[in-house]
Amino acid sequence: MKGLKNILLTAIFLVMNIKLIAQPQSLALIPYPNTVTYQSGFFKYSNTNQIFIYYQDLKLNQVIKNFVNNAFIHHGIKLKTSSIKKSNVIVFVRDSIIKNPEGYQLEVTPKIIKVTYNHINGAFYATQTLMQLLKPF
């Protein structure tokens, strides 16, 4: 009976591990996004990255300032704002299609991170997610 129990436990363990291996790498984000679509490539943070803001707003400027300060303090990355949209940039775009005041959408490609939000709270939470995605140095 003990032998059968050990075989059964081993089989369950193997099935669980195979299931975990088959899943794409999970993001360690709190809160976890409603939807994640994985694509090839990655955006590389560096001291040459810039932040471009389509819609200037005092509250948004404060959120961006806090993000820039935290990126430097916690990760050693010096981000700067820019009035010219270039590649290798983080872009903030306000869009009324996002109805939830805390909602936002991140689109990450090797050349750009596009943050779409409607309310300042959404922009804030987007920067918190971006901070979580940064790898510590």
Side-chain angles (χ1 to χ4, degrees), residues 9-10 12 18 20 22 38 55 61 64 69 75 79 87 97 102 105:
L9 288 174
T10 303
I12 291 171
I18 289 170
L20 291 174
Y38 291 91
Y55 176 80
N61 287 342
I64 300 294
N69 289 338
H75 302 284
L79 299 170
S87 65
I97 198 163
E102 297 177 352
Q105 180 178 5

Side-chain angles (χ1 to χ4, degrees), residues 95-104 117-119:
D95 191 337
S96 62
I97 198 163
I98 297 178
K99 301 301 180 195
N100 184 337
E102 297 177 352
Y104 61 92
Y117 69 98
N118 186 23
H119 190 274

Side-chain angles (χ1 to χ4, degrees), residues 4-136:
L4 182 58
K5 185 178 177 182
N6 286 340
I7 290 172
L8 184 58
L9 288 174
T10 303
I12 291 171
F13 177 75
L14 288 174
V15 169
M16 289 175 65
N17 282 334
I18 289 170
K19 190 175 181 181
L20 291 174
I21 292 169
Q23 295 175 349
Q25 183 179 355
S26 180
L27 297 171
L29 296 174
I30 299 173
Y32 198 79
N34 292 336
T35 306
V36 175
T37 304
Y38 291 91
Q39 300 179 12
S40 62
F42 60 91
F43 183 88
K44 183 177 180 181
Y45 282 98
S46 71
N47 290 336
T48 61
N49 294 136
Q50 294 186 335
I51 299 173
F52 179 77
I53 305 167
Y54 275 104
Y55 176 80
Q56 292 293 330
D57 171 302
L58 289 176
K59 291 180 182 178
L60 179 61
N61 287 342
Q62 186 60 47
V63 167
I64 300 294
K65 182 179 176 183
N66 289 340
F67 173 61
V68 168
N69 289 338
N70 286 328
F72 180 70
I73 291 168
H74 299 289
H75 302 284
I77 298 172
K78 297 178 184 176
L79 299 170
K80 297 177 184 170
T81 58
S82 173
S83 59
I84 301 169
K85 183 180 170 189
K86 301 177 182 179
S87 65
N88 211 22
V89 68
I90 303 168
V91 178
F92 282 77
V93 180
R94 188 171 185 181
D95 191 337
S96 62
I97 198 163
I98 297 178
K99 301 301 180 195
N100 184 337
E102 297 177 352
Y104 61 92
Q105 180 178 5
L106 293 179
E107 294 177 49
V108 181
T109 71
K111 300 270 184 205
I112 191 170
I113 294 177
K114 182 180 176 186
V115 176
T116 306
Y117 69 98
N118 186 23
H119 190 274
I120 193 64
N121 292 355
F124 170 77
Y125 287 117
T127 62
Q128 298 308 297
T129 299
L130 290 173
M131 286 301 297
Q132 292 178 64
L133 292 171
L134 283 171
K135 293 186 178 183

